[in-house]
Amino acid sequence: MEAEKTRTQRRAVPWLLLALWIGVLAVAAPFAGKLADVQRDRVTDYLPANADSTQVAELQDRLPGGETTQLVLVYQRDGGLTPADRATADRQVDRIAGEHKLTETPQGIPSKDGTTLMYPVNTNEPGDDEDLRNEFVDDVREVARSADGLSVEVGGPGAVTRDSQKVYESLDGPLLYTTVAVVAVLLIIIYRSPILWLIPLMVAGMADYLSMGVAYGLNQAFDISISGAGTGIMTILVFGAGTDYALLIVSRYREELRRIERPYDAMKAALRGCGPAVIASSGTVGAGLLCLLAADLNSNRGMGPLGAVGVLCALIAMLTLLPAILVLVGRRVFWPIIPAFGSTPKERRSLFSAMGSSAGRRPVAVLVAGAVALGALALGTLNLPADLKQEDSFVDRPESISAMLTLADAYPESSGQPITIMTPADRADATLEAVNTTDGVASARLGRTGDGWTEVSVTAAAPPQSDAETRTIKDLREKLDGSYVGGASAQQIDLEKTNARDQKVVVPLVLLFVLLILIALLRSLVAPLMLVAAVVAVWGASLGIGGLVFESVFGFEGTDPALGLLSFVFLVALGVDYGIFLMHRMREESLNGAEPTEAALTALRTTGGVIASAGLVLAATFAVLMNMGLVSLVELGFVIAIGVLLDTFLVRTYLVTSASVALGRKVWWPGQMSKPAAAPEPEVREPERV
């Protein structure tokens, strides 16, 4: 009876799991298709939740006509504008005013040297409709065209927002296709099989589709912010982390197929062996990402749940759908190197055996040398460029940024980027007077009034995001009690300030949750502290390498203010993954009676190849971000990719193994495994009878 029940399970369970996934994906499909509709990449979707600049943006939305789209048309000729140039400018501006409802008639402002003419063009006709705002910017650019040596550029906050959105729009297709291609190539190299690589890739694709449906549901139920960067990171985590879990499961499954005859039973044994490590690994990543909910920056806070959803969907898929398909296909999926029942793999001295041997011979020397190397690399953080300015935020300079730089050169006496103040309507005149008497203000005027608030548009005397303009904004905030100071430059100030605050709050939370998960899994204090210290060292070294190459190699003029926090969360959470794989196997070997040194070296020998493969896949998926058009994404992708490689080939293989060998049983303190094994009791023999 029991044997019949087991045979029924072997046949039914994989098919049931496959049918269940088909049903789940059918339910998720309509929601996954709607995710792009709720993706928002406006400035307000990235701003700090309670900052002045956020309040200004929200109050502007409540004014008559809703949100204003602000553009600046910049006409320039190096030798000086001609009458024909001015006629062309007037004609184009008149056409724009005739086709769109502008808030005011555009007035041309010539530069002192006569080479440049700018026209502020503002409308609130699209209101809060993002598609209509984009159409307005595109229409203006279609009308404002260069001709006969006359340069025409469309800039202003609305144009910058549109150019940013174009970058995020480009993430959807190229990011996914590039990620899939990179993972496919690496899996073919790793598995050396024409069939096996397809299964983890296909399962990851289904997990990604499911994550899109779940993300849409979270947005509708809890108003979770969906941004281009967030969905891009979610896709990368599904394929990167999901493929890592698949590599571990498939490796253990191959191992069990040599011991166990039936694939179903071999898979059960494989999941019993590596399942706890995979679950703990995903739990660590998920907990670390959810700590971002404590962030005040909208973009950071929204990225946490999206990343956690991606990891959770990848985990569920790899623990259910992947095993089901592998069992249904059977041993032949490993062709041409099929693990036969009862066979023994060829004994070969692997790279990781050699690395383990060197770490085992002189563990303290290896540990010290590695720590010194990481510390030296971390010194590169002192060379990180200053915070990234808006004008330097694109890899390839778009038209909006080019227009901003043209205005800065042609109008050095005033900023071409307005500062916006929202003040109570009954204090509008007093506010205007206070603004005009503030150092650094070139001009100010009252704008729209509504809902108890009045808009004040301020032109600073200094260029945008310069130290002088920053001082002016801070002075205005101190001087104008009860009013809010916003605009593009004020938003940048708030982003930098809030990122610094978020780092102080989120970093300790990540460390705490990761440490608690490791303690629960490894039942030790020393091993978790060792792993956490290792990943923190990797983070510092990775940022240090970024400091050495961002400006000198990539030519970046600044560092994204969120880089430190986001790279910390990802590197700590993902880096601990590999530590869990290694230490869990080490614990398993110790429980089976191996001495500490033997357990450490066996764990490295058996998991080193899997960890290396997983690290390469994860690093490659994050490196895909380096092909995107925003400096912030390129910097994040570079730091995480470098960090994962350092963690994979230096920290896990050499440093953690060396530390484990050097500490011996103490690595498991204060657990039972930290105590010496009890000596076997001497056998008591009865005296022979004479």
Side-chain angles (χ1 to χ4, degrees), residues 56-88:
V56 168
E58 291 177 352
L59 288 171
Q60 283 181 308
D61 290 348
R62 288 156 50 184
L63 291 177
E67 182 178 345
T68 299
T69 304
Q70 299 175 318
L71 301 179
V72 180
L73 274 62
V74 183
Y75 295 87
Q76 185 185 52
R77 185 183 290 274
D78 290 339
L81 294 170
T82 66
D85 293 336
R86 293 185 177 88
T88 298

Short mmCIF file of all heavy atoms in Angstrom, two decimals, residues 56-88:
data_model
loop_
_atom_site.label_atom_id
_atom_site.label_comp_id
_atom_site.label_asym_id
_atom_site.label_seq_id
_atom_site.Cartn_x
_atom_site.Cartn_y
_atom_site.Cartn_z
N VAL A 56 5.60 71.56 -2.71
CA VAL A 56 5.39 72.50 -3.82
C VAL A 56 4.77 71.79 -5.02
O VAL A 56 3.80 72.27 -5.62
CB VAL A 56 6.73 73.16 -4.22
CG1 VAL A 56 6.58 73.90 -5.56
CG2 VAL A 56 7.20 74.12 -3.14
N ALA A 57 5.32 70.62 -5.38
CA ALA A 57 4.80 69.88 -6.53
C ALA A 57 3.34 69.48 -6.31
O ALA A 57 2.51 69.56 -7.23
CB ALA A 57 5.67 68.66 -6.79
N GLU A 58 3.02 69.03 -5.11
CA GLU A 58 1.64 68.60 -4.83
C GLU A 58 0.68 69.79 -4.81
O GLU A 58 -0.46 69.69 -5.28
CB GLU A 58 1.61 67.84 -3.50
CG GLU A 58 2.32 66.49 -3.56
CD GLU A 58 2.35 65.77 -2.23
OE1 GLU A 58 1.94 66.40 -1.21
OE2 GLU A 58 2.77 64.61 -2.20
N LEU A 59 1.12 70.91 -4.23
CA LEU A 59 0.25 72.10 -4.21
C LEU A 59 0.04 72.66 -5.62
O LEU A 59 -1.05 73.15 -5.95
CB LEU A 59 0.87 73.17 -3.30
CG LEU A 59 0.80 72.88 -1.80
CD1 LEU A 59 1.62 73.90 -1.01
CD2 LEU A 59 -0.65 72.90 -1.32
N GLN A 60 1.07 72.59 -6.46
CA GLN A 60 0.91 73.04 -7.85
C GLN A 60 -0.16 72.23 -8.58
O GLN A 60 -0.89 72.75 -9.41
CB GLN A 60 2.24 72.94 -8.59
CG GLN A 60 3.23 74.05 -8.27
CD GLN A 60 4.51 73.91 -9.06
OE1 GLN A 60 5.14 72.85 -9.07
NE2 GLN A 60 4.91 74.98 -9.72
N ASP A 61 -0.23 70.94 -8.26
CA ASP A 61 -1.24 70.09 -8.88
C ASP A 61 -2.66 70.55 -8.54
O ASP A 61 -3.60 70.32 -9.30
CB ASP A 61 -1.07 68.64 -8.44
CG ASP A 61 0.18 68.00 -9.02
OD1 ASP A 61 0.77 68.61 -9.93
OD2 ASP A 61 0.56 66.91 -8.57
N ARG A 62 -2.81 71.21 -7.37
CA ARG A 62 -4.14 71.63 -6.90
C ARG A 62 -4.53 73.02 -7.41
O ARG A 62 -5.66 73.45 -7.22
CB ARG A 62 -4.17 71.61 -5.37
CG ARG A 62 -4.18 70.18 -4.82
CD ARG A 62 -3.65 70.08 -3.40
NE ARG A 62 -4.26 71.05 -2.49
CZ ARG A 62 -3.88 71.18 -1.22
NH1 ARG A 62 -2.91 70.41 -0.74
NH2 ARG A 62 -4.47 72.07 -0.44
N LEU A 63 -3.59 73.72 -8.03
CA LEU A 63 -3.89 75.05 -8.56
C LEU A 63 -4.75 74.92 -9.82
O LEU A 63 -4.82 73.84 -10.42
CB LEU A 63 -2.60 75.80 -8.90
CG LEU A 63 -1.75 76.24 -7.70
CD1 LEU A 63 -0.47 76.90 -8.19
CD2 LEU A 63 -2.52 77.18 -6.79
N PRO A 64 -5.42 75.99 -10.24
CA PRO A 64 -6.25 75.92 -11.45
C PRO A 64 -5.47 75.39 -12.64
O PRO A 64 -4.38 75.86 -12.96
CB PRO A 64 -6.65 77.39 -11.69
CG PRO A 64 -6.61 78.00 -10.32
CD PRO A 64 -5.48 77.31 -9.61
N GLY A 65 -6.01 74.36 -13.28
CA GLY A 65 -5.33 73.76 -14.43
C GLY A 65 -4.41 72.62 -14.05
O GLY A 65 -3.92 71.90 -14.91
N GLY A 66 -4.14 72.44 -12.75
CA GLY A 66 -3.28 71.34 -12.31
C GLY A 66 -1.81 71.62 -12.55
O GLY A 66 -1.37 72.78 -12.59
N GLU A 67 -1.04 70.57 -12.72
CA GLU A 67 0.42 70.69 -12.84
C GLU A 67 0.80 71.48 -14.09
O GLU A 67 0.25 71.29 -15.17
CB GLU A 67 1.04 69.30 -12.88
CG GLU A 67 2.55 69.31 -12.95
CD GLU A 67 3.13 67.90 -12.92
OE1 GLU A 67 2.39 66.97 -12.57
OE2 GLU A 67 4.31 67.76 -13.25
N THR A 68 1.78 72.37 -13.93
CA THR A 68 2.27 73.16 -15.06
C THR A 68 3.47 72.47 -15.71
O THR A 68 4.37 72.00 -15.02
CB THR A 68 2.70 74.56 -14.60
OG1 THR A 68 1.57 75.23 -14.05
CG2 THR A 68 3.25 75.37 -15.76
N THR A 69 3.45 72.40 -17.02
CA THR A 69 4.60 71.89 -17.77
C THR A 69 5.40 73.09 -18.25
O THR A 69 4.91 73.90 -19.03
CB THR A 69 4.13 71.05 -18.97
OG1 THR A 69 3.28 69.99 -18.52
CG2 THR A 69 5.33 70.46 -19.70
N GLN A 70 6.64 73.20 -17.74
CA GLN A 70 7.47 74.37 -18.02
C GLN A 70 8.57 74.01 -19.02
O GLN A 70 9.35 73.08 -18.79
CB GLN A 70 8.11 74.89 -16.72
CG GLN A 70 7.09 75.33 -15.68
CD GLN A 70 7.75 75.71 -14.38
OE1 GLN A 70 8.66 75.05 -13.90
NE2 GLN A 70 7.28 76.80 -13.78
N LEU A 71 8.62 74.76 -20.12
CA LEU A 71 9.64 74.58 -21.14
C LEU A 71 10.33 75.91 -21.41
O LEU A 71 9.79 76.98 -21.11
CB LEU A 71 9.03 74.06 -22.44
CG LEU A 71 8.27 72.73 -22.39
CD1 LEU A 71 7.71 72.40 -23.77
CD2 LEU A 71 9.17 71.61 -21.90
N VAL A 72 11.51 75.83 -21.98
CA VAL A 72 12.25 77.02 -22.42
C VAL A 72 12.76 76.74 -23.83
O VAL A 72 13.49 75.76 -24.05
CB VAL A 72 13.43 77.35 -21.49
CG1 VAL A 72 14.16 78.59 -22.02
CG2 VAL A 72 12.95 77.59 -20.07
N LEU A 73 12.38 77.58 -24.80
CA LEU A 73 12.91 77.48 -26.16
C LEU A 73 14.15 78.34 -26.26
O LEU A 73 14.12 79.53 -25.92
CB LEU A 73 11.87 77.93 -27.18
CG LEU A 73 10.86 76.87 -27.66
CD1 LEU A 73 10.01 76.36 -26.52
CD2 LEU A 73 9.98 77.44 -28.77
N VAL A 74 15.25 77.74 -26.70
CA VAL A 74 16.54 78.45 -26.75
C VAL A 74 17.00 78.54 -28.21
O VAL A 74 17.27 77.52 -28.85
CB VAL A 74 17.60 77.71 -25.90
CG1 VAL A 74 18.91 78.51 -25.90
CG2 VAL A 74 17.11 77.48 -24.48
N TYR A 75 17.06 79.77 -28.72
CA TYR A 75 17.52 80.03 -30.08
C TYR A 75 18.91 80.64 -30.00
O TYR A 75 19.14 81.60 -29.26
CB TYR A 75 16.57 81.00 -30.79
CG TYR A 75 15.19 80.43 -31.00
CD1 TYR A 75 14.21 80.54 -30.02
CD2 TYR A 75 14.86 79.78 -32.19
CE1 TYR A 75 12.94 80.02 -30.21
CE2 TYR A 75 13.59 79.25 -32.39
CZ TYR A 75 12.64 79.37 -31.39
OH TYR A 75 11.38 78.85 -31.59
N GLN A 76 19.86 80.10 -30.78
CA GLN A 76 21.24 80.60 -30.68
C GLN A 76 21.94 80.51 -32.04
O GLN A 76 21.76 79.55 -32.79
CB GLN A 76 22.03 79.79 -29.64
CG GLN A 76 23.44 80.33 -29.41
CD GLN A 76 24.24 79.45 -28.47
OE1 GLN A 76 24.34 78.26 -28.67
NE2 GLN A 76 24.82 80.05 -27.44
N ARG A 77 22.76 81.54 -32.31
CA ARG A 77 23.69 81.53 -33.45
C ARG A 77 25.00 82.09 -32.95
O ARG A 77 25.04 83.16 -32.32
CB ARG A 77 23.15 82.37 -34.60
CG ARG A 77 24.03 82.28 -35.87
CD ARG A 77 23.51 83.20 -36.97
NE ARG A 77 22.25 82.74 -37.52
CZ ARG A 77 22.14 81.86 -38.52
NH1 ARG A 77 23.24 81.32 -39.04
NH2 ARG A 77 20.96 81.52 -38.99
N ASP A 78 26.09 81.37 -33.21
CA ASP A 78 27.40 81.75 -32.65
C ASP A 78 27.81 83.16 -33.04
O ASP A 78 28.33 83.92 -32.23
CB ASP A 78 28.47 80.75 -33.10
CG ASP A 78 28.29 79.39 -32.44
OD1 ASP A 78 27.63 79.36 -31.37
OD2 ASP A 78 28.79 78.39 -32.97
N GLY A 79 27.59 83.56 -34.25
CA GLY A 79 28.00 84.89 -34.69
C GLY A 79 27.02 85.99 -34.33
O GLY A 79 27.25 87.16 -34.67
N GLY A 80 25.95 85.66 -33.65
CA GLY A 80 24.93 86.63 -33.31
C GLY A 80 23.66 86.39 -34.09
O GLY A 80 23.70 86.04 -35.29
N LEU A 81 22.49 86.53 -33.45
CA LEU A 81 21.21 86.29 -34.11
C LEU A 81 20.92 87.36 -35.16
O LEU A 81 21.19 88.55 -34.95
CB LEU A 81 20.08 86.29 -33.06
CG LEU A 81 20.11 85.13 -32.05
CD1 LEU A 81 19.11 85.39 -30.93
CD2 LEU A 81 19.82 83.80 -32.72
N THR A 82 20.37 86.96 -36.28
CA THR A 82 20.01 87.89 -37.36
C THR A 82 18.52 88.21 -37.26
O THR A 82 17.75 87.51 -36.57
CB THR A 82 20.30 87.24 -38.72
OG1 THR A 82 19.42 86.11 -38.89
CG2 THR A 82 21.74 86.76 -38.80
N PRO A 83 18.06 89.26 -37.96
CA PRO A 83 16.62 89.54 -37.99
C PRO A 83 15.81 88.34 -38.49
O PRO A 83 14.70 88.10 -38.01
CB PRO A 83 16.52 90.73 -38.95
CG PRO A 83 17.85 91.43 -38.80
CD PRO A 83 18.85 90.33 -38.62
N ALA A 84 16.36 87.61 -39.44
CA ALA A 84 15.65 86.43 -39.95
C ALA A 84 15.53 85.37 -38.86
O ALA A 84 14.51 84.67 -38.77
CB ALA A 84 16.40 85.87 -41.16
N ASP A 85 16.56 85.25 -38.02
CA ASP A 85 16.51 84.28 -36.91
C ASP A 85 15.39 84.65 -35.94
O ASP A 85 14.62 83.79 -35.49
CB ASP A 85 17.84 84.25 -36.16
CG ASP A 85 18.98 83.70 -37.00
OD1 ASP A 85 18.69 82.94 -37.96
OD2 ASP A 85 20.14 84.03 -36.71
N ARG A 86 15.29 85.94 -35.62
CA ARG A 86 14.25 86.38 -34.68
C ARG A 86 12.86 86.17 -35.28
O ARG A 86 11.90 85.81 -34.58
CB ARG A 86 14.47 87.85 -34.31
CG ARG A 86 15.74 88.08 -33.51
CD ARG A 86 15.87 89.54 -33.05
NE ARG A 86 17.05 89.72 -32.22
CZ ARG A 86 18.25 90.01 -32.68
NH1 ARG A 86 18.43 90.13 -33.99
NH2 ARG A 86 19.27 90.15 -31.86
N ALA A 87 12.76 86.39 -36.59
CA ALA A 87 11.48 86.16 -37.26
C ALA A 87 11.11 84.68 -37.21
O ALA A 87 9.94 84.31 -36.99
CB ALA A 87 11.55 86.64 -38.71
N THR A 88 12.09 83.81 -37.41
CA THR A 88 11.86 82.37 -37.32
C THR A 88 11.40 81.99 -35.92
O THR A 88 10.45 81.21 -35.74
CB THR A 88 13.15 81.60 -37.67
OG1 THR A 88 13.52 81.89 -39.01
CG2 THR A 88 12.94 80.10 -37.51
#
